[in-house]
Amino acid sequence: MIRVTRAVTAAVALLALAAAAPGAAHAQPSPGPLSQAPRGREDGNLPEGWQFTGTGAGRELIWTSPDLVPMGNARVEFYAGKTLLGRPEAARDGHAFRLRTDGTRIGSGTELRVMAGGRRLDAGAGSDARDDAGRLSPSAPRETPPPGTPGHTEAPLPANPVDPGVRGGHRTVTGEYTLPPVRLPHFPAPVEMRATVVGPIGAPGKRPLALFLHGRHATCFNTAGEVTGEWPCTDGTKPIPSHQGYLQAQKLLASQGYVTVSIAANGINGQDFQAEDGGAQARSSLVRRHLAHWAEWAAKPAGAPAAVRATAPADLSRVLLVGHSRGGEGVNRAALDSLSRPPADQDGYRGPVRWTIRGNVLIGPTVFGQNPVPDVPSATLLPGCDGDVSDLQGQIYVDGTRGVSRGAALHSAVYMVGANHNFFNSEWTPGQAKAPADDDFWSDDTPDPVCTPGTKTRLTATQQQTAGATYIAAAARLFLAGDDRVRPLLDGTGRRAPSADPARVLTHAVGAHRTPAFLADPSVAVTGGRVCAQVDPDAARACLPPDGGGQSPHFASWETAPEPGRDAIALNWSKAGAAVTVRPARPVSLAGSEALALRVIVPPNTSGTQLDVTLVDASGRRANLGRARLDGLPGTERTASYWARELRLPLSAAARAGLDLKRVKTLELTPRTGSGKAWLMDAWGWRPGTPVVRPAPLPRVDIGRLTVAEGDSGVRTHRVPVRVSGQGSGQVRVFVADPATGEVTHRTVTVRPGKNAVDVSLTVRGNTRFGNDLSQEVFVKAVRGAVVGSHHGGVTARNDDPMPTLTVTPVAADVTEGKPLTWRLTLSEAADAEISAGLELLPVVGGAELSTADVDRRWLEEYVGEVPEQAVPLSQLPRAYLTVYIPAGETAFDVSVPTVADELREPQESLRARLITYDEEWEPRPGPELIGTVRDAA
């Protein structure tokens, strides 16, 4: 769980209310009221469903969903406006999410949002959220039918001559093995070592190995149809067999001669909320522990489990990893860790690496670290109707590799129209799963025209699983068998596998035999368009407006916004013929390439965008390569459909025109349609083939976490733990969040083993005053010639002083109406944080109670929000709870309850309350009852 940083601190007025009788209790630090706006239901002016609980370092912001939020793979995140507050921990009931705030004020409560994978989870809470969603609708010409609907003109792709979805000639055998559970760092409970093996019978020689890792899903279920995220499973429940959900793909691969194993990871799913990286390192450790056993069994077959002995022996020099969702991020980390060892204190496997990862298949993956492995080929499946990782952030496994290493590894994005997140795994599919399962694509009262089941574009579970198995087999055939005939299915050539029909599958790629030519960055000169920022809250800089215009997988956000180093080129034209020119700082070479390959985004549901593509060399000679036509993907406000199509134009026209392909200076894109928008991601020189990939010796950077006590005196400087390992030198971009303001600064540094260029420290002043924790957060991302393992860490200085006690004494606890009830709050010592306690309003026994008509209405509305029109006793308010705040640094504070005078003759009235404080574990503890008396003015 990541805490709120001080980036969201708001300067607000302090309101305070105290009790009506002497007493002493532990006082509590508090983030204070959210703003000067009227305080609403649940807590202050928080929206419905939100509240604060606890205080100080244990203060928590809680959102409770009226509906069950299934355990998923995208991280749930709290935002205030566009600012990330942090990532909460889910309660066991699947409704409540808790985020520690460390005494930080949040800002305006009306701007609070709950997001997961680009999707707003609290959107059903009110009309405001629905209006926001409406503004995200992509522009679409009303007269143009969306792709995939009758009337659309885009023809099906030509069939590839080799179809990897066709079953092979080998008979198969299926079995299971279970080994003793293992301990992984920072996880209190052991993690299971269990797997399903499917392999060929009688296949000659050693066979390539494909290992599957499922994603984050519920862990346990019972016969009543209830699921939990606990680990280990409690009595009366049993583990959900998520690892058995890829049998169709396993059997297809086994029939083609591959040995396959799908491993269980419930023990990680039930504990990864404790991991700063979402469990990526733990999943890598689990994968490599299984591979270590397979390497041992390959050397000594007699010691292998029966399920392993029943199939052909595995060739550990040819391994394919297949990861679904968080499993995708896990196998990406396993591939990195197999090339470059992680820090020993973070790793759960420290043995030798006796295998070679030849490729990864990542299915709807998360990529929280945005740290793809550049030198291991990959194919990333992007489900067009993903309702879990709905921002399709896995696109970064392609885009994030550009320029990092040699560029020989092919990185493919495979966009599958109409596929959801869960149905690639049959154990997550209703009607197929042994445990309860659901369709992750969310629905409300309005059907989605693209993704609601039954629409023309939405795939059935069987269709999706067949298409998924086909493209997994394509990757296996290319990466493990080296069969270049299936490359056109993955690299943007525009071919389809008939076995995957009727699924519409589109691809683009980077790497392999591509030469970088036109990549957007601030050094590129653009006329007729603009260099835009992929991630920036400023609409003037952003490629897509942050509050409307849909989502793009290419523009998936990371830890900070704006984020430098991620740009595209935006085109926006109102008439045909206005050229956009792109000129890099130096001429580029396309010598040896057969075609220019461009990745271009057009808005969803648009059709027939046409662009003339022209190259100009350094001498001014021009060559028109031809006219490209492209259509947008089917999409709605619920999908991430601003996705680039690959356009290829042969360079033969340039050769005929005598263009100097070694010194190309300018790319011109000339729209030939009347108006439109487009975004150029990049352009490359392309030629066919799949080169042999030899991983480069790169330095690796891992950021750690240091937690220290602040101490009672003195000034200490603590450095963020940074480990640079591997070989050579490279560049990374370092982001540092200011501990006081949260403002993020960045710099690019050169790293090499033995030299710590990522030098970030936190200065801590020891004292004996109670206060909040202090954190220095650091993020890092590879730029060139380096890789990143653990991308996020820092230093946290814990408050180590006891809480002060609170004494409440009456100043004016017996008054005539029209005068304020007043008390004095006194702390046993000053604190470095605001101090809070609560006041629970109770019914008065044996007398008249102050009502809403007896106190100042504006004051009351600031505390409880809406006040009933008819007078009611204060204890009968919907929210009969008030909060006390004492400013940091003060030891005494007078607070008042303003009463109002009227002309009615009334009996003596009272206010009765109970003081609520908190113990050292931040649990509420009732204090003394307090009484205030108000007498009639007459």
Side-chain angles (χ1 to χ4, degrees):
M1 180 170 58
I2 298 177
R3 303 179 198 83
V4 176
T5 68
R6 287 174 171 77
V8 291
T9 302
V12 294
L14 293 176
L15 305 175
L17 176 70
H26 281 296
Q28 312 297 316
S30 166
L34 289 182
S35 73
Q36 298 183 42
R39 298 166 63 86
R41 289 176 296 183
E42 300 298 322
D43 195 84
N45 69 327
L46 296 179
E48 185 173 4
W50 294 83
Q51 62 176 314
F52 276 121
T53 188
T55 187
R59 184 77 163 175
E60 293 181 328
L61 178 64
I62 300 176
W63 171 69
T64 303
S65 170
D67 303 314
L68 178 69
V69 179
M71 186 174 176
N73 293 272
R75 276 177 160 169
V76 176
E77 298 175 326
F78 286 178
Y79 281 81
K82 299 180 180 67
T83 301
L84 173 65
L85 301 179
R87 299 176 179 113
E89 179 181 333
R92 291 182 178 181
D93 64 2
H95 291 268
F97 292 81
R98 314 171 73 94
L99 176 69
R100 282 181 61 174
T101 63
D102 281 350
T104 302
R105 293 175 185 157
I106 303 303
S108 173
T110 60
E111 296 181 347
L112 288 172
R113 294 181 295 138
V114 187
M115 305 292 291
R119 175 168 64 102
R120 187 167 182 181
L121 299 185
D122 61 335
S127 60
D128 289 345
R130 289 191 292 270
D131 291 344
D132 287 343
R135 287 195 294 272
L136 293 174
S137 179
S139 59
R142 293 183 180 274
E143 69 274 9
T144 304
T149 63
H152 190 266
T153 58
E154 186 169 1
L157 296 173
N160 195 61
V162 175
D163 185 350
V166 175
R167 182 177 173 83
H170 295 285
R171 293 183 300 118
T172 65
V173 61
T174 300
E176 293 249 342
Y177 68 75
T178 301
L179 305 175
V182 296
R183 293 275 183 183
L184 299 180
H186 314 303
F187 283 21
V191 173
E192 77 272 42
M193 288 285 289
R194 181 181 179 188
T196 296
V197 179
V198 184
I201 299 175
K206 290 189 174 183
R207 312 305 300 178
L209 175 66
L211 183 148
F212 290 71
L213 175 63
H214 64 82
R216 191 172 192 264
H217 190 70
T219 53
C220 310
F221 74 108
N222 60 23
T223 56
E226 299 168 327
V227 300
T228 74
E230 299 175 329
W231 191 259
C233 294
T234 56
D235 291 344
T237 66
K238 57 184 178 179
I240 294 175
S242 292
H243 67 293
Q244 296 176 356
Y246 306 104
L247 282 173
Q248 181 175 349
Q250 287 185 264
K251 289 178 179 179
L252 174 63
L253 290 177
S255 75
Q256 297 172 350
Y258 302 90
V259 176
T260 73
V261 57
S262 181
I263 67 175
N266 283 325
I268 294 176
N269 290 347
Q271 302 179 84
D272 63 1
F273 65 90
Q274 304 176 73
E276 195 156 30
D277 65 358
Q281 188 63 63
R283 291 181 173 89
S284 166
S285 300
L286 185 68
V287 166
R288 290 177 293 121
R289 277 183 172 268
H290 278 274
L291 289 177
H293 282 290
W294 279 86
E296 182 68 21
W297 299 331
K300 301 177 181 179
V308 176
R309 297 195 308 272
T311 185
D315 179 0
L316 272 294
S317 71
R318 292 183 291 166
V319 176
L320 178 76
L321 301 182
V322 183
H324 186 183
S325 206
R326 289 203 193 185
E329 190 159 11
V331 302
N332 173 77
R333 184 68 68 87
L336 173 63
D337 293 344
S338 297
L339 294 173
S340 178
R341 287 189 178 277
D345 63 335
Q346 299 178 19
D347 195 17
Y349 174 73
R350 303 180 187 178
V353 176
R354 295 183 289 172
W355 56 84
T356 302
I357 310 299
R358 300 291 183 180
N360 284 339
V361 179
L362 314 167
I363 305 170
T366 61
V367 57
F368 302 140
Q370 294 199 0
N371 48 356
V373 185
D375 290 332
V376 175
S378 68
T380 300
L381 274 61
L382 302 174
C385 294
D386 195 318
D388 187 344
V389 189
S390 51
D391 58 357
L392 303 187
Q393 60 191 255
Q395 177 66 43
I396 305 302
Y397 287 109
V398 177
D399 297 356
T401 64
R402 297 179 302 174
V404 174
S405 189
R406 294 168 176 165
L410 178 76
H411 295 285
S412 166
V414 181
Y415 194 105
M416 192 172 292
V417 176
N420 76 350
H421 188 87
N422 283 356
F423 291 178
F424 289 105
N425 186 313
S426 62
E427 291 297 338
W428 299 359
T429 304
Q432 299 179 13
K434 301 175 183 65
D438 59 13
D439 181 353
D440 57 275
F441 187 82
W442 69 104
S443 299
D444 56 18
D445 295 336
T446 304
D448 187 271
V450 172
C451 293
T452 293
T455 60
K456 292 181 180 297
T457 43
R458 178 65 193 269
L459 298 176
T460 66
T462 299
Q463 291 169 344
Q464 178 175 330
Q465 289 158 6
T466 299
T470 298
Y471 279 84
I472 292 170
R477 194 156 181 167
L478 181 61
F479 300 154
L480 296 183
D483 188 347
D484 196 62
R485 296 175 300 168
V486 299
R487 173 186 43 78
L489 290 170
L490 298 172
D491 79 336
T493 296
R495 296 293 183 268
R496 81 177 207 283
S499 292
D501 290 342
R504 184 176 174 220
V505 182
L506 306 169
T507 67
H508 66 228
V510 302
H513 285 312
R514 284 171 174 78
T515 301
F518 302 95
L519 280 71
D521 63 55
S523 71
V524 174
V526 178
T527 63
R530 66 184 178 94
V531 175
C532 61
Q534 295 182 21
V535 180
D536 199 311
D538 182 357
R541 279 274 300 138
C543 295
L544 286 177
D547 294 323
Q551 291 190 83
S552 170
H554 301 277
F555 307 156
S557 62
W558 189 55
E559 299 281 2
T560 182
E563 184 189 340
R566 294 177 61 188
D567 298 293
I569 295 172
L571 294 71
N572 188 352
W573 65 94
S574 57
K575 62 178 181 179
V580 175
T581 67
V582 181
R583 180 178 296 180
R586 292 181 297 274
V588 299
S589 176
L590 296 173
S593 299
E594 293 186 7
L596 183 70
L598 306 93
R599 295 194 302 156
V600 179
I601 304 168
V602 293
N605 307 322
T606 58
S607 178
T609 297
Q610 297 184 48
L611 298 170
D612 281 352
V613 181
T614 301
L615 295 177
V616 183
D617 68 14
S619 66
R621 194 180 300 270
R622 304 169 59 84
N624 187 336
L625 303 186
R627 182 169 297 177
R629 182 188 185 280
L630 69 162
D631 299 331
L633 297 178
T636 68
E637 70 277 2
R638 302 180 185 182
T639 64
S641 304
Y642 281 81
W643 185 77
R645 306 289 297 272
E646 182 157 332
L647 307 175
R648 286 208 200 128
L649 296 99
L651 290 172
S652 52
R656 290 193 300 269
L659 205 73
D660 183 359
L661 289 176
K662 292 182 179 180
R663 291 178 55 80
V664 178
K665 181 177 65 174
T666 304
L667 169 67
E668 292 183 1
L669 302 176
T670 306
R672 293 305 179 189
T673 43
S675 63
K677 296 180 180 181
W679 295 262
L680 174 66
M681 286 297 300
D682 42 43
W684 309 76
W686 177 89
R687 61 186 174 92
T690 308
V692 175
V693 180
R694 294 181 176 87
L698 303 177
R700 168 177 171 152
V701 179
D702 290 272
I703 309 296
R705 169 73 59 184
L706 176 65
T707 301
V708 299
E710 67 176 7
D712 292 341
S713 63
V715 178
R716 297 172 179 84
T717 298
H718 302 277
R719 282 181 163 75
V720 175
V722 179
R723 177 181 180 268
V724 181
S725 58
Q727 303 177 56
S729 65
Q731 290 184 320
V732 298
R733 188 170 285 114
V734 180
F735 299 81
V736 180
D738 185 278
T741 67
E743 180 181 355
V744 176
T745 58
H746 63 87
R747 65 183 189 272
T748 301
V749 301
T750 298
V751 294
R752 60 178 57 89
K755 180 181 178 182
N756 183 15
V758 187
D759 189 5
V760 182
S761 60
L762 177 68
T763 298
V764 179
R765 296 183 179 277
N767 61 39
T768 57
R769 286 159 55 127
F770 184 78
N772 296 312
D773 293 346
L774 183 66
S775 291
Q776 173 72 81
E777 301 298 314
V778 177
F779 319 99
V780 66
K781 181 176 280 194
V783 175
R784 184 173 295 105
V787 291
V788 173
S790 174
H791 79 285
H792 179 199
V795 176
T796 299
R798 297 288 191 198
N799 166 73
D800 56 5
D801 299 307
M803 293 180 292
T805 56
L806 173 67
T807 301
V808 183
T809 56
V811 175
D814 191 333
V815 300
T816 56
E817 61 183 12
K819 295 182 180 180
L821 292 164
T822 303
W823 296 267
R824 177 162 297 152
L825 281 64
T826 304
L827 293 175
S828 58
E829 57 184 331
D832 288 333
E834 285 179 356
I835 298 300
S836 72
L839 191 67
E840 180 184 9
L841 301 178
L842 305 173
V844 170
V845 179
E849 181 178 343
L850 278 178
S851 76
T852 54
D854 297 317
V855 298
D856 182 87
R857 187 176 185 87
R858 180 177 300 178
W859 171 89
L860 188 60
E861 287 175 343
E862 288 178 339
Y863 275 91
V864 302
E866 184 178 350
V867 177
E869 289 298 324
Q870 298 295 323
V872 297
L874 293 179
S875 64
Q876 294 182 19
L877 286 167
R879 183 182 179 277
Y881 187 89
L882 304 166
T883 306
V884 182
Y885 297 101
I886 303 176
E890 297 189 13
T891 57
F893 190 76
D894 285 356
V895 294
S896 300
V897 177
T899 67
V900 296
D902 55 40
E903 298 181 355
L904 300 176
R905 187 175 296 275
E906 298 172 302
Q908 173 180 304
E909 296 169 305
S910 299
L911 178 151
R912 176 173 173 247
R914 177 184 290 116
L915 187 66
I916 303 296
T917 59
Y918 299 87
D919 62 19
E920 296 283 353
E921 300 300 323
W922 315 115
E923 293 295 329
R925 291 291 181 263
E929 288 192 7
L930 314 163
I931 302 294
T933 301
V934 179
R935 304 181 186 278
D936 191 79

